[in-house]
Amino acid sequence: MTPGNNGASTPEDDDPFGYLYADGQANGAQPPSGGYGYPNSVNRVRPVGSRQYGQQGPAPQAPPQQGAFGQPSAHYAAPETLPGGAPTARTPQPSRGGRGGGPNTKGLLIGAIAVVAAVVIGIGIAMISGDDDDKGGNEAGPSPTATQQTGEPSPSSSEEDKDEDKTKLPAIDAKALRLDGGATLASEFKGAKADGGVYVTGFNQVGSKVTWTVDGVKAGNYRFYVQYGIPGEDADATIVVNGKPESRPLNMKNFAKSAKGDWEAGWQNTWASVNLNDGTNTIELVCNEGNKCNAVLDQLWLTNEDGSN
């Protein structure tokens, strides 16, 4: 079958592609103008030599810019905005991480915690370094003085003056006293504290006495101590200070509760308060009428009124 005998119609009406065949061309078939609704799709015949190679073609147009995330493009119009367009529901964009499309708060929180931790660590290192510096400063400091090492305060000048003024109160062995009225020395009984164990005996008679001259004391009240021995029974004597007898006798009781007749177990001491003048004083121990003087005398000494020496 050929285009020429397909019917009464012309070849171009019968077969639009008849111009491609030799018999169609013989019958006068021509290609349609405009390329069957595809402009420039087929009709691209150019004269020979009219095409220029190596020339820059027209610059392609840039595609429309994409708008910001979630914002429509300026070159785009939604169908619903066109005449007759139906409104459509906007499909929500899927969120990242299962949460809203806002900023990543979890990441910001982790970053803030890291910054705080770094600051705390830095402060701790600085404090440790500061402590080391302080220790080094202490080690490099001056060594303590002798007073600081012992913890005892150094005496002031006034305290030193008091120590110089304060002298030890006097004491004496009875054998060094002046003896009168039949008093004599002996060492028969053991236990006397005087040098050589020598003591004063013969005191048990009226008028017997011993005299002690005391030098270098200040005016005031003192305790007058006597070390004595008795044979297990009480004794006493009269004290005379600077020629004036004391109203109360010196009590030489059996404080040790020694057995009667046991001289060696009867050693003990007693005291009476006396008032002395500034300078030299005379103290006498006398056996007067009414006194019980069956005792031997070992030592005599003074203390302050509170008992300190």
Side-chain angles (χ1 to χ4, degrees):
M1 180 181 296
T2 63
N5 57 10
N6 277 340
S9 300
T10 60
E12 59 272 16
D13 294 333
D14 186 32
D15 186 0
F17 298 100
Y19 70 95
L20 298 174
Y21 307 105
D23 54 348
Q25 294 176 4
N27 291 325
Q30 295 293 327
S33 62
Y36 298 100
Y38 297 92
N40 300 323
S41 62
V42 176
N43 188 15
R44 295 180 182 176
V45 180
R46 294 177 181 169
V48 176
S50 63
R51 182 170 181 87
Q52 301 295 323
Y53 296 95
Q55 293 183 356
Q56 181 70 29
Q61 295 182 356
Q65 295 294 327
Q66 179 70 28
F69 178 77
Q71 299 294 330
S73 174
H75 301 281
Y76 172 78
E80 60 271 16
T81 63
L82 299 176
T88 59
R90 183 175 179 182
T91 303
Q93 295 292 331
S95 62
R96 290 174 289 182
R99 297 190 180 182
N104 189 349
T105 56
K106 183 176 180 180
L108 294 176
L109 179 60
I110 293 174
I113 292 174
V115 172
V116 172
V119 172
V120 171
I121 292 172
I123 293 174
I125 294 173
M127 292 178 66
I128 292 173
S129 301
D131 293 340
D132 293 340
D133 294 340
D134 293 340
K135 291 179 181 178
N138 289 337
E139 292 174 355
S143 59
T145 63
T147 303
Q148 292 173 335
Q149 289 175 350
T150 59
E152 298 178 357
S154 57
S156 63
S157 58
S158 59
E159 291 176 347
E160 291 176 352
D161 293 341
K162 290 180 180 179
D163 291 339
E164 292 177 357
D165 293 340
K166 183 178 179 181
T167 58
K168 188 175 181 179
L169 294 175
I172 192 170
D173 287 345
K175 68 178 183 178
L177 299 173
R178 191 181 74 186
L179 306 181
D180 294 296
T184 186
L185 300 178
S187 57
E188 180 181 355
F189 308 133
K190 305 299 181 184
K193 295 182 178 181
D195 184 24
V198 178
Y199 51 87
V200 174
T201 189
F203 189 67
N204 190 17
Q205 52 185 318
V206 175
S208 180
K209 68 176 180 181
V210 295
T211 303
W212 181 23
T213 302
V214 181
D215 295 320
V217 296
K218 294 184 177 180
N221 290 324
Y222 296 87
R223 289 186 182 183
F224 171 54
Y225 275 88
V226 176
Q227 176 79 10
Y228 64 93
I230 53 176
E233 58 185 23
D234 296 337
D236 60 39
T238 301
I239 301 174
V240 179
V241 177
N242 296 323
K244 181 179 179 181
E246 297 290 323
S247 59
R248 299 181 60 180
L250 178 69
N251 189 1
M252 294 185 288
K253 293 184 65 173
N254 186 17
F255 300 111
K257 305 295 182 183
S258 59
K260 190 172 182 178
D262 189 355
W263 286 90
E264 292 184 3
W267 294 105
Q268 49 208 296
N269 63 68
T270 188
W271 65 273
S273 180
V274 295
N275 184 270
L276 302 180
N277 299 326
D278 193 13
T280 301
N281 294 267
T282 299
I283 302 176
E284 298 175 330
L285 194 59
V286 183
C287 181
N288 288 334
E289 291 286 347
N291 293 135
K292 298 177 180 179
C293 304
N294 192 16
V296 292
L297 308 177
D298 184 12
Q299 291 177 324
L300 284 69
W301 68 93
L302 295 174
T303 70
N304 294 308
E305 189 66 15
D306 60 0
S308 62
N309 194 359

